[in-house]
Amino acid sequence: MRRMSWFASVAAVALVLTACGDDDNESTTEGSGGSEEEASGEVEVFTWWTEGGEKAGLDGLVSVFSEQCSDFEFVNGAVAGGAGSNAKQVLASRLQTGEPPDTFQAHAGGELLDYINADQLEDLSGLYDEWGLSDSVSENLLDAITLDGAIYSVPANVHRANVVWANPTVLEDAGLPAEAPASVDDWLADMQTLRDNGVDAPLAIATDWTQTMLLEAVLIAELGPEAYTGLYDGSTDWASAEVPAALEKYGQMLEFANADRAGLDWPDAVNKVTAGDAAYTLMGDWAAGKLDADGLELDTDYVWWPSPGTDGVFQWLADSFVLPVGAPNRAGTECWLEVVGSEDGQREFNTAKGSIPARTDADPSDYGPYAQAAMEDWASDALAPSLAHGSAAPVGWIDAVNSAVGQFSTSGDVGALQEQLAAAAQ
Amino acid sequence: MRSRIRNWGPGLLMVAPSIVVIAVFVYVLIGATVNESLTDRHTAAPAENYVGLENYANLLDDDRFIHSLKNLAVLTVVFVTGTLVLGVLWAFLLEKGVKGEGFFRSAYLFPMAVSFVASGVVWRWLLNSAEGEGAGGLNALFGMAGLDVLQNPWWSHPDWGMAAMAVPAIWQLSGYVMALFLAGFRGIPNELREAARVDGASEAQLYRHVLFPQLSPVALTALIIIGHMSMKMFDLIMAVSGAQYLTEVPAVYMWQALLTNDYAKAAAIAIVLLVVVAVLVVPYLIHNARTERQR
C-alpha cells in the first residue's frame, strides 16, 4: 500500500513538473520569436463580436486592415456566447499563462483597471502622438481614459447610455407632449399622469444591469455630471446626503416600472414601448439599431431624448482595443490599432455597428439620423462615464452594484442600497 | 513480500493511470483551490499575501452569500421533496400493475435525457412572470382556463421564487427517482408479500411494515443523488433567469466572482460548496462502506 502511494505521488509530481516546464518554454519562445521577426505574420484579434451589427463592424475593420496592413494576416480569435462572458474567461486564462492574443476587445475606462494593475497592458500614449490620435480623438474622452499620463487603449467607437426611448402615441393619448420632461421630478409627474390614464407601468425596464443604467441616469440628473463622475474616483462620497435623495427618486421610478422586469432582457423592454404597453424605456443607443431593424420610424413610431435632467450630458461607453504585454506580433498589433483609430477604420466599423466614431473629424453624412444627432451632442456635451458598461469602474464594482440593484428591485430598501453601493466602492 | 507484489502489482499497474489522473485533476486541484482561497487574490494580479480564513469570514458576513445559501436551501428542499413524492407515487402506481407500464416508464423517465440548459430555455418561457393580459407560458394557460388566481410571479417572487425554480428540476428528475424505486419494489422477493398476506396483513399494512422499510436504502440513495445535484445547481438557473441577484445560488455567485477576477472569493465559495455537499455525501459513503463490509 505504501509503495502504491509513493509511486502515485512520484508520477503525479512528474506529470505536473513536465506540464509546467512545457508551458514556460512555449510562451518564452513564442514571445521572443514574435518580436524579433520582421513586420509580417498573423495578428490574432480577440473579440466576442460574432454576429449581427457587431460582426459587420468587425468585418469593416478587417477590410481596412487588409488594405493598409497588407503585410499582416488577420486571424479572428472571437469567442461567442454569454454577451462576452465566455470570451472574458478564455482571455483571463490566456493572460495568466502568459499567452495573450495580439490584441483584445475591452471597454475603455474603468474596466481596464484590472488589467492595468496586473501589468498586462502596455502604454500607448507614444503611439497616440505618432498617429496623430491625440488631436483627433475628442479631448474629453482622452482625459477620461488617461491614467497618470498613460493611455492603454484605442477606442473604436462611442455609445451613449443615458437615452430614453418613448412611444409618442402613448404620450399623446395621455395628453402629454412628446418632449423630454425637464427633470426627474417632472418625469415622475408624467408617469403618474400616464398611470391615471390607464398605463399601469409607464416605464419599461429589464433585468439587473438595465436597472443599474436607470439608477445611473437618476444619479447624473440629481448630482450633476461632475459630482457623479466623482463617485468613481472618490471625490464624491457615496454616503453623502445627496445620494439618498437620488436613491429615493430612483425607488419612486421603480414603482412605475413593470413588475416582470427580472425575466426580461433589454429588447423585451424596448418591445413593451413600441407595442404601446409602456411609454418609456431607458437604454443605450444601440437600441436605435434594433428599432431600425424592426422597421420603425424616428419621430412617428418612437422618439428619443437624453434621460430627463441629463440634457447636455453624454454618458459614454467605448469599445476599444489594447496592446497586451507580451503580444506575439507587436508590429502587427500596432498596425491593427492604427487602423482602429483611423478615420477609415472608424467609419467602416461604426456605420456597420450603429455607434458613433470616437474621433471628432468624421463626416456626419455617412451616418443615420440618430447617429448624426448623437455626434453633435458628443462634440458639445459634458461627459459622464457608465458603470453598467465598464467605462466608470472595474468589473468587481460593476457586479456588486448590479447585485445591490437587483436586491433593491424587490426590497425597496434605500438604506441598504446606499450601504451596498458604498461597500462596492471600497 | 514478493508474492504480495505479484498479487497486487499487475492490478496496480492497470489502475495507476487513473489514480494519477484523479490525484492530479481532482485532489491536487482541490488543494490548489483551498490554497487560492487563503490568499488575497482579488484582482487579475497574482496573490500577494496569505490572509488565513479572512475570505471565509467575509463570505459569512456577506448578505449576498447568505441570500444565495437561503435560495439554495429553498431550492433543495422543494426539489428533493418534489422528486421523492412524485417518484414514489409513480413507482407505486406502476408497481400496482398499470396497463402500458412500458410506455409510462419511458414517458416519465424521458425528461431526464434532456439537458438542463435545453429544458431551461423552454421553462424560462413557461415560467414567464407577466400576469393578466400580457401573460405568457403557464400564467397564460391559467388565464385561458379561468384559473387567474393561480397566476403568480414564479421565480421572480423575492422569497419563494426558488421553489418555482425547482419545478423544471422536479419535472426532469422525478422519473429517475421513480426508476430507482421501481427497481427497489421489484427487488423485494414475492415470498415476503405472500408471507405477510398469509399472516393477515392488510394492503396498507403490507406497504407500511414490509415493503417501505426495505426501500429505505433506495430512498437514501435518491436523497443523496438529488440533494447533491441540487446543491451544485448552475446550468438550469443560468438558462431560466440568467445570473441575477434574485435567483443567485453559490455556484452562480462563484461564477460571477470568477468573471470579476475575484479569484480568492470564488475559491472560497467553491470550497464552502464542496464542504456543504461533502456533509451530505461523505456520511452516506461511510454508511455504504460499512454495510458492504458487513455483507
Side-chain angles (χ1 to χ4, degrees):
Chain A
M1 197 60 194
R2 192 170 290 164
R3 242 162 215 278
M4 179 174 96
S5 55
W6 179 85
F7 175 75
S9 50
V10 166
V13 169
L15 207 89
V16 170
L17 286 180
T18 46
C20 295
D22 279 356
D23 238 24
D24 286 350
N25 290 340
E26 225 172 276
S27 64
T28 44
T29 46
E30 239 178 56
S32 54
S35 53
E36 281 159 19
E37 263 173 40
E38 279 175 45
S40 67
E42 298 180 337
V43 181
E44 185 191 2
V45 177
F46 188 97
T47 67
W48 52 90
W49 293 331
T50 51
E51 55 184 355
E54 299 181 330
K55 174 75 169 72
L58 182 63
D59 290 344
L61 275 179
V62 173
S63 69
V64 179
F65 177 77
S66 52
E67 253 171 51
Q68 298 190 356
C69 308
S70 48
D71 296 340
F72 301 103
E73 192 192 336
F74 169 85
V75 175
N76 192 349
V79 174
S85 58
N86 295 351
K88 284 175 191 168
Q89 283 292 309
V90 175
L91 180 63
S93 63
R94 288 186 60 174
L95 288 174
Q96 269 166 42
T97 51
E99 290 176 21
D102 291 301
T103 180
F104 62 87
Q105 167 202 357
H107 285 131
E111 204 178 288
L112 291 177
L113 281 174
D114 281 340
Y115 301 120
I116 296 170
N117 293 336
D119 295 326
Q120 288 168 335
L121 298 185
E122 295 206 19
D123 175 20
L124 301 170
S125 49
L127 294 170
Y128 264 66
D129 293 336
E130 194 181 306
W131 297 333
L133 274 182
S134 316
D135 305 322
S136 46
V137 170
S138 91
E139 218 179 299
N140 280 336
L141 179 62
L142 268 188
D143 283 350
I145 62 175
T146 304
L147 194 83
D148 299 331
I151 308 174
Y152 293 93
S153 65
V154 178
N157 69 349
V158 170
H159 275 296
R160 186 177 198 171
N162 60 327
V163 185
V164 165
W165 309 88
N167 185 327
T169 321
V170 176
L171 293 178
E172 276 157 28
D173 288 349
L176 293 169
E179 284 163 19
S183 67
V184 173
D185 289 321
D186 292 351
W187 197 12
L188 283 166
D190 284 0
M191 289 197 207
Q192 186 60 52
T193 312
L194 281 157
R195 179 167 280 176
D196 294 342
N197 282 279
V199 184
D200 268 347
L203 178 64
I205 51 173
T207 189
D208 294 358
W209 63 268
T210 70
Q211 296 167 28
T212 302
M213 288 181 72
L214 181 65
L215 172 67
E216 289 179 81
V218 175
L219 282 170
I220 297 174
E222 295 298 299
L223 303 179
E226 264 178 52
Y228 165 81
T229 310
L231 287 169
Y232 302 111
D233 61 22
S235 55
T236 310
D237 190 355
W238 282 96
S240 64
E242 301 88 43
V243 174
L247 298 184
E248 286 287 351
K249 284 185 186 168
Y250 168 67
Q252 289 168 20
M253 298 190 80
L254 281 195
E255 284 166 26
F256 289 106
N258 48 312
D260 61 346
R261 50 188 172 251
L264 303 183
D265 201 357
W266 72 266
D268 307 319
V270 174
N271 287 341
K272 274 182 185 279
V273 172
T274 50
D277 296 329
Y280 316 100
T281 188
L282 182 135
M283 187 39 59
D285 57 9
W286 45 93
K290 174 190 156 44
L291 291 162
D292 284 347
D294 291 347
L296 299 167
E297 291 282 332
L298 180 63
D299 291 330
T300 52
D301 298 315
Y302 69 95
V303 292
W304 70 273
W305 52 67
S307 172
T310 68
D311 199 13
V313 183
F314 195 106
Q315 192 190 13
W316 64 277
L317 56 118
D319 293 304
S320 67
F321 285 92
V322 299
L323 174 57
V325 171
N329 188 351
R330 190 187 167 109
T333 306
E334 285 181 9
C335 200
W336 171 262
L337 293 177
E338 190 174 358
V339 166
V340 168
S342 70
E343 206 181 330
D344 287 346
Q346 302 225 330
R347 186 186 58 243
E348 293 304 315
F349 179 68
N350 288 298
T351 46
K353 188 173 186 281
S355 44
I356 65 169
R359 298 172 67 101
T360 48
D361 55 1
D363 180 2
S365 62
D366 292 333
Y367 294 85
Y370 168 79
Q372 289 186 15
M375 284 161 85
E376 251 173 57
D377 287 349
W378 172 242
S380 59
D381 281 1
L383 297 194
S386 159
L387 177 69
H389 299 287
S391 52
V395 281
W397 191 336
I398 301 169
D399 179 53
V401 169
N402 282 342
S403 176
V405 165
Q407 183 177 356
F408 181 77
S409 168
T410 51
S411 73
D413 183 344
V414 170
L417 177 60
Q418 188 183 14
E419 231 170 71
Q420 288 169 348
L421 291 175
Q426 299 289 313
Chain B
M1 186 68 192
R2 186 166 287 172
S3 67
R4 259 196 175 177
I5 293 177
R6 210 168 276 159
N7 273 342
W8 282 93
L12 178 63
L13 271 182
M14 298 295 280
V15 293
S18 60
I19 289 179
V20 170
V21 168
I22 288 177
V24 171
F25 287 101
V26 177
Y27 295 98
V28 170
L29 289 184
I30 288 177
T33 308
V34 172
N35 182 51
E36 190 94 30
S37 74
L38 301 176
T39 66
D40 62 349
R41 192 167 177 216
H42 299 296
T43 62
E48 281 168 12
N49 296 303
Y50 280 96
V51 294
L53 295 175
E54 192 185 288
N55 292 316
Y56 294 94
N58 287 345
L59 272 188
L60 296 180
D61 212 28
D62 179 2
D63 287 344
R64 184 174 168 188
F65 186 65
I66 301 299
H67 172 259
S68 75
L69 283 180
K70 202 206 88 189
N71 275 345
L72 187 64
V74 174
L75 175 75
T76 304
V77 168
V78 178
F79 182 23
V80 169
T81 320
T83 46
L84 282 182
V85 168
L86 276 183
V88 171
L89 182 72
W90 291 345
F92 174 73
L93 292 175
L94 290 185
E95 200 260 339
K96 295 300 277 177
V98 193
K99 250 187 205 161
E101 188 200 315
F103 170 76
F104 285 110
R105 214 170 41 202
S106 318
Y108 289 146
L109 198 55
F110 200 59
M112 202 178 83
V114 184
S115 84
F116 269 137
V117 175
S119 71
V121 173
V122 177
W123 280 98
R124 176 189 173 88
W125 174 77
L126 283 176
L127 298 180
N128 186 320
S129 67
E131 293 171 39
E133 277 179 28
L138 291 181
N139 278 352
L141 273 182
F142 288 147
M144 276 190 266
L147 296 167
D148 294 35
V149 260
L150 286 179
Q151 293 193 349
N152 70 72
W154 299 111
W155 56 264
S156 31
H157 189 281
D159 295 320
W160 301 108
M162 290 312 279
M165 190 64 87
V167 171
I170 294 172
W171 171 76
Q172 283 203 254
L173 283 155
S174 292
Y176 175 62
V177 174
M178 175 206 71
L180 286 178
F181 273 97
L182 203 54
F185 275 123
R186 298 277 148 84
I188 300 172
N190 238 342
E191 291 81 7
L192 276 179
R193 297 169 193 242
E194 281 162 12
R197 288 202 180 104
V198 167
D199 286 345
S202 71
E203 199 70 350
Q205 281 172 326
L206 170 69
Y207 276 94
R208 166 73 187 82
H209 295 291
V210 179
L211 298 183
F212 283 147
Q214 306 246 4
L215 290 177
S216 62
V218 177
L220 189 64
T221 306
L223 181 81
I224 300 296
I225 291 175
I226 301 296
H228 96 279
M229 276 183 87
S230 171
M231 290 187 185
K232 297 190 295 187
M233 191 63 80
F234 175 80
D235 37 6
L236 177 71
I237 292 168
M238 292 298 278
V240 172
S241 74
Q244 57 172 295
Y245 175 81
L246 210 51
T247 58
E248 195 164 74
V249 294
V252 175
Y253 192 5
M254 176 178 75
W255 169 250
Q256 292 294 94
L258 262 184
L259 274 186
T260 54
N261 300 324
D262 198 339
Y263 295 97
K265 192 203 251 176
I269 297 173
I271 295 302
V272 171
L273 203 54
L274 179 72
V275 169
V276 169
V277 175
V279 164
L280 184 80
V281 175
V282 170
Y284 169 71
L285 292 179
I286 292 174
H287 170 82
N288 253 10
R290 274 207 195 126
T291 39
E292 267 175 31
R293 211 173 299 150
Q294 276 165 10
R295 275 178 207 160

